[in-house]
């Protein structure tokens, strides 16, 4: 049953990338925070903002490269083995998910700057 293996692989890909967007919105992503305890509140905010800006730039780069890659696949289309699905739909998960991550990052910082949410420094234990 080759088609079921392909469907599960493609769904797993989409779920992992979209879960990363959800983690970004809730500030539950993996991050090293040991150094933050040594800084005052303003230093913590500036360091978190700096790292999130770097992450935002990375997201923008991945979206641009991923979109260019999907567009370039128009010249030589690829299809999956069992489902005969156009692989552009599969690879589209990457730029779509990184766009969502970028939106969630900007949204989270907007909520912090407008005082709707407090600045929460992630701790070692999430649960």
């Amino acid at each position: 049953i080759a088609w079921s293996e392909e469907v599960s692989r493609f769904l797993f890909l989409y779920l992992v990338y979209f879960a990363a967007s959800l983690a970004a919105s809730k500030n539950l992503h993996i991050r090293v925070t040991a150094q933050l305890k040594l800084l005052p509140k303003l230093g913590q905010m500036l360091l978190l903002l700096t790292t999130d800006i770097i992450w935002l730039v990375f997201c923008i780069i991945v979206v641009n490269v991923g979109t260019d890659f999907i567009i370039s696949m128009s010249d030589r289309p690829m299809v999956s083995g069992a489902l005969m699905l156009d692989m552009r739909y599969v690879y589209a998960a990457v730029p779509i998910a990184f766009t969502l991550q970028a939106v969630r990052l900007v949204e989270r910082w907007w909520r912090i700057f407008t005082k709707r949410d407090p600045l929460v420094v992630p701790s070692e234990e999430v649960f």
Side-chain angles (χ1 to χ4, degrees):
I1 312 176
W3 67 269
S4 65
E5 188 268 334
E6 268 190 11
V7 168
S8 65
R9 187 178 342 137
F10 297 157
L11 287 176
F12 181 73
L13 173 83
Y14 268 86
L15 288 174
V16 165
Y17 278 114
F18 290 136
S21 170
L22 180 65
S25 71
K26 297 185 180 292
N27 202 21
L28 294 176
H29 49 84
I30 297 172
R31 155 185 314 221
V32 177
T33 59
Q35 75 282 6
L36 292 175
K37 293 181 180 179
L38 304 172
L39 298 173
K41 194 74 169 168
L42 179 63
Q44 292 175 359
M45 186 187 78
L46 290 176
L47 188 57
L48 287 172
L49 181 61
T50 303
T51 57
D52 281 351
I53 288 172
I54 293 170
W55 185 10
L56 181 64
V57 169
F58 175 74
C59 287
I60 292 169
I61 291 169
V62 170
V63 168
N64 287 333
V65 171
T67 304
D68 290 344
F69 177 69
I70 291 170
I71 291 170
S72 73
M73 288 179 70
S74 299
D75 300 335
R76 295 182 357 184
M78 296 184 330
V79 293
S80 64
L83 295 173
M84 303 304 287
L85 179 68
D86 189 350
M87 291 300 287
R88 287 181 289 185
Y89 297 120
V90 176
Y91 291 134
V94 176
I96 291 171
F98 275 89
T99 300
L100 286 174
Q101 284 184 34
V103 168
R104 296 296 189 183
L105 281 170
V106 171
E107 176 189 27
R108 188 164 44 89
W109 279 101
W110 175 259
R111 294 178 71 77
I112 290 170
F113 285 137
T114 58
K115 306 284 191 221
R116 293 181 189 165
D117 288 343
L119 176 68
V120 177
V121 177
S123 64
E124 296 87 16
E125 296 182 20
V126 184
F127 302 105

